[in-house]
Amino acid sequence: MLAYQAVRPAPDQRFGQTPGVLADALQDGVNLAVWQRDLPLHIREFTETLLALGEPLAESLTLDVGRDADVRLTGLAAAYRDIAGHAGFVADVAWLAQAYACLLEARRIGLRLRVLDKAMCPRFHVDHVPLRLITTYAGAGSEWLEEGAMDRKRLGDQTAEPNERTPVNRLRAGEVALFKGEKWTGNEGAGIVHRSPPVMRGERRLILTLDWLA
């Protein structure tokens, strides 16, 4: 008697105009959920002014959070607190951190806020984490591939990178994405394939990432 092995369907991606779509990332078979939001003007102007200064920024925090605890980030990007919109920017980051923690019922999350002038991860890859929040506040957004666009066995191989005939999807500045990685139970071998976007000389990005630590 022949034994048949079930074929797992291709991972799905979800998009929506409200933050509620981010909860779709918890579903089996979904490896990317994107809140297609537009940044408020005061936050967009703050981030654009910050980048125009041409100064470095690299901050990492470990946040102990709870379901009912408020995330307070009053010291975030403190060197730029005199720029109009700083308070609104910090409040937005705090809201995202709180929402992320509540969604996962996390007790501890890691926060990284960085200005980048080159691609941090230029090759298409998968993350070996459960679920990572990524949002680009200013500059080019992260790029991702639909299933089958690249052989997963050749991730990281420069010669296997997509060519100009392969559609490459890019997130817009302000959009909030949950990237499901290889360490999410049941998502082994199906982490979303993505990379940092190519950055032209003189261009910069302001990117926030959140990771589930406990």
Side-chain angles (χ1 to χ4, degrees):
M1 182 176 181
L2 294 176
Y4 292 92
Q5 183 176 4
V7 177
R8 183 167 63 179
D12 193 16
Q13 295 81 43
R14 303 289 175 81
F15 304 87
Q17 303 295 318
T18 67
V21 70
L22 297 176
D24 287 1
L26 305 183
Q27 298 179 17
D28 292 339
V30 175
N31 64 2
L32 175 67
V34 181
W35 173 20
Q36 298 172 305
R37 71 166 182 169
D38 293 317
L39 282 175
L41 179 60
H42 68 286
I43 295 179
R44 189 167 70 248
E45 290 180 341
F46 167 80
T47 59
E48 290 173 353
T49 300
L50 189 156
L51 288 188
L53 294 175
E55 298 178 357
L57 174 63
E59 298 187 6
S60 298
L61 301 171
T62 298
L63 306 176
D64 291 310
V65 296
R67 183 176 299 180
D68 300 320
D70 289 332
V71 173
R72 300 186 182 277
L73 300 172
T74 53
L76 189 69
Y80 307 99
R81 66 172 74 247
D82 291 336
I83 299 176
H86 174 268
F89 169 76
V90 171
D92 189 73
V93 174
W95 189 91
L96 289 177
Q98 185 68 62
Y100 178 77
C102 289
L103 183 66
L104 296 173
E105 297 185 354
R107 301 187 306 276
R108 184 178 300 114
I109 61 177
L111 181 155
R112 291 183 294 176
L113 179 68
R114 287 170 288 185
V115 169
L116 302 174
D117 59 5
K118 59 184 177 181
M120 182 175 58
C121 301
R123 302 294 174 208
F124 279 107
H125 65 284
V126 294
D127 289 332
H128 293 277
V129 301
L131 193 67
R132 173 171 287 162
L133 183 149
I134 301 178
T135 185
T136 302
Y137 275 98
S142 298
E143 297 182 341
W144 60 276
L145 296 177
E146 295 182 3
E147 192 65 22
M150 183 176 178
D151 185 349
R152 286 181 175 270
K153 295 180 181 179
R154 300 186 67 187
L155 291 176
D157 182 351
Q158 182 177 357
T159 63
E161 290 282 301
N163 55 38
E164 62 275 4
R165 296 187 299 274
T166 302
V168 174
N169 303 287
R170 175 180 287 187
L171 300 175
R172 294 185 298 109
E175 292 186 326
V176 180
L178 288 178
F179 287 63
K180 189 178 284 183
E182 294 290 310
K183 289 192 175 181
W184 182 276
T185 302
N187 196 58
E188 299 85 354
I192 186 70
V193 177
H194 66 286
R195 71 178 178 188
S196 302
V199 179
M200 301 299 291
R201 185 178 181 87
E203 291 184 351
R204 288 154 60 83
R205 307 170 62 215
L206 177 62
I207 182 172
L208 170 75
T209 61
L210 300 175
D211 280 298
W212 183 15
L213 302 181

